[in-house]
Amino acid sequence: MSYASQLPIVDLSAADRGPQARRLLHAQLHSAAHDVGFFQLVGHGVTAGEKLALTSAMRAFFELPEAERLALDTTYSPHFRGYTRVGDERTGGARDWRDQLDIGAERPAHVPGPGEPPYWWLQGPNQWPEGLPELRLAALNWIERLSGVAERLLHELLASIGARPDFYDADFGAHAHPHLKLVRYPGSSGEGDDQGVGAHKDYGFLTLLLQDDVGGLQVEREDGIFHDVPPLPGAFVVNLGELLEVATNGYLVATNHRVVSPPGVTERFSVPFFYNPRLDARIAPLEFPYAAAAPGLTADPANPLFAEYGFNELKGKLRAHPLAAARHHADLLVKDGQPAMSVMSE
């Protein structure tokens, strides 16, 4: 692999090692976020023991009998929480060859009342396997732990481009909307199921990915080619979401990425964590000294982006989970199971 295709490596602990180390950290973050949109994060403080607690519980979940996993099927949840079997999720209209458990902050359901935005359907309880209590504990601990890491990282990232570190703090807080996926890629049979997950950009602020040692993640670089991201022991792969790209008018970049299924019967496990603001947060344009150098955004009529975060996530969930959408939210869809943009208004 060429040097040009490698992702930058950023050491977050440099923020605590004095002014010179912090200046270097900011230079690295600035370059990685402006030029690439992806980097490997080390020095984050998450221990091997914390990772093992989560990954052990995750593997135990995927070893459960299929009937026990299907008892948590996402189609039972109007909040898009729970288990999605292989092939039932879509990216770019094509099926993703993976199964997964979607988990969010554990909160009571918020059924939208008259005049309330439909994105409030996204708030609600998770679905948990009864015989695996350690999964609930490990997953909710992970959400809390990585929310803290992501908050710190966002502060340093904003400072690196001359913005106020706390500029978006009010959009997160106690009612932020984090999202965790526990994902298994079962391998490829060679019959057209090599799309582990199709090319896409994330629509929140930051994604922190814990991947195993199998590989398969690919990032589109400046040359237009999707390059492999080799696993780096102890690191999180971090990418920026579209909200940060929009908030900076394209100065910070959200980058296309995908996963190619591992060959044969090889399994791959990964844990993406999405650091997202409150559903009702309206994301203001960032005030920073490089704003005049921002290149602007290329509008995609098929993928409109909204200032109010909840509409973005609802649009994504309706497209990615067509079975759950059809069962619980047919009124939010038009033909072919696509979101009705008329309900995605602000």
Side-chain angles (χ1 to χ4, degrees):
M1 177 178 294
S2 69
Y3 175 78
S5 68
Q6 296 279 1
L7 293 184
I9 299 174
V10 174
D11 184 353
L12 187 58
S13 68
D16 300 323
R17 295 203 296 268
Q20 184 175 351
R22 192 162 184 250
R23 281 194 296 270
L24 177 60
L25 166 66
H26 286 174
Q28 293 172 329
L29 270 176
H30 188 157
S31 175
H34 175 56
D35 298 328
V36 186
F38 262 85
F39 53 92
Q40 301 263 24
L41 185 72
V42 299
H44 42 68
V46 179
T47 66
E50 290 173 304
K51 294 175 185 176
L52 183 61
L54 180 67
T55 57
S56 297
M58 172 177 65
R59 287 176 179 267
F61 171 76
F62 286 111
E63 290 170 359
L64 290 174
E66 183 181 44
E68 292 186 34
R69 285 180 274 124
L70 289 176
L72 313 178
D73 197 285
T74 312
T75 57
Y76 299 141
S77 169
H79 320 295
F80 298 95
R81 307 288 178 85
Y83 176 69
T84 303
R85 74 181 87 192
V86 174
D88 277 1
E89 189 178 31
R90 302 288 191 273
T91 300
R95 68 179 185 172
D96 294 326
W97 201 247
R98 64 179 184 175
D99 58 346
Q100 64 189 37
L101 187 68
D102 281 274
I103 302 164
E106 191 70 73
R107 295 185 183 131
H110 183 162
V111 177
E116 285 192 305
Y119 59 64
W120 286 115
W121 279 113
L122 299 174
Q123 177 177 307
N126 296 295
Q127 298 192 79
W128 303 105
E130 290 185 5
L132 201 62
E134 61 267 32
L135 178 66
R136 183 182 191 277
L137 178 63
L140 294 180
N141 283 346
W142 193 258
I143 287 174
E144 182 176 0
R145 185 75 168 94
L146 261 67
S147 291
V149 173
E151 179 183 36
R152 185 182 182 205
L153 176 59
L154 180 61
H155 283 177
E156 298 298 339
L157 174 59
L158 295 181
S160 78
I161 60 171
R164 267 191 14 244
D166 62 352
F167 190 91
Y168 289 116
D169 278 8
D171 295 315
F172 287 87
H175 296 286
H177 192 74
H179 179 206
L180 174 65
K181 285 178 179 280
L182 308 180
V183 184
R184 174 178 62 176
Y185 298 88
S188 171
S189 67
E191 298 179 358
D193 51 16
D194 59 340
Q195 175 176 300
V197 60
H200 66 285
K201 299 178 181 180
D202 297 339
Y203 39 74
F205 263 66
L206 293 171
T207 302
L208 280 70
L209 171 72
L210 177 65
Q211 60 173 340
D212 65 12
D213 58 1
V214 173
L217 174 65
Q218 297 182 334
V219 172
E220 187 176 23
R221 297 300 299 269
E222 298 88 342
D223 56 12
I225 297 173
F226 281 88
H227 292 270
D228 292 327
V229 178
L232 180 64
F236 290 108
V237 181
V238 177
N239 65 278
L240 278 59
E242 290 178 310
L243 279 185
L244 270 178
E245 186 172 64
V246 171
T248 60
N249 198 28
Y251 189 80
L252 301 182
V253 295
T255 305
N256 270 322
H257 53 287
R258 68 187 185 189
V259 174
V260 176
S261 293
V265 296
T266 303
E267 290 185 319
R268 175 182 184 264
F269 294 89
S270 72
V271 185
F273 169 79
F274 304 91
Y275 186 57
N276 301 324
R278 301 188 331 263
L279 289 170
D280 59 348
R282 297 185 66 87
I283 307 304
L286 184 65
E287 298 171 6
F288 67 113
Y290 299 95
L297 299 166
T298 301
D300 180 357
N303 184 36
L305 295 172
F306 304 97
E308 198 163 338
Y309 171 68
F311 288 111
N312 295 296
E313 180 157 334
L314 179 61
K315 175 193 63 179
K317 288 290 194 292
L318 292 171
R319 287 177 169 172
H321 296 279
L323 300 179
R327 180 170 184 173
H328 298 286
H329 305 295
D331 59 318
L332 302 180
L333 303 174
V334 293
K335 66 177 182 177
D336 300 323
Q338 291 300 304
M341 290 301 118
S342 61
V343 303
M344 303 293 173
S345 60
E346 303 176 71

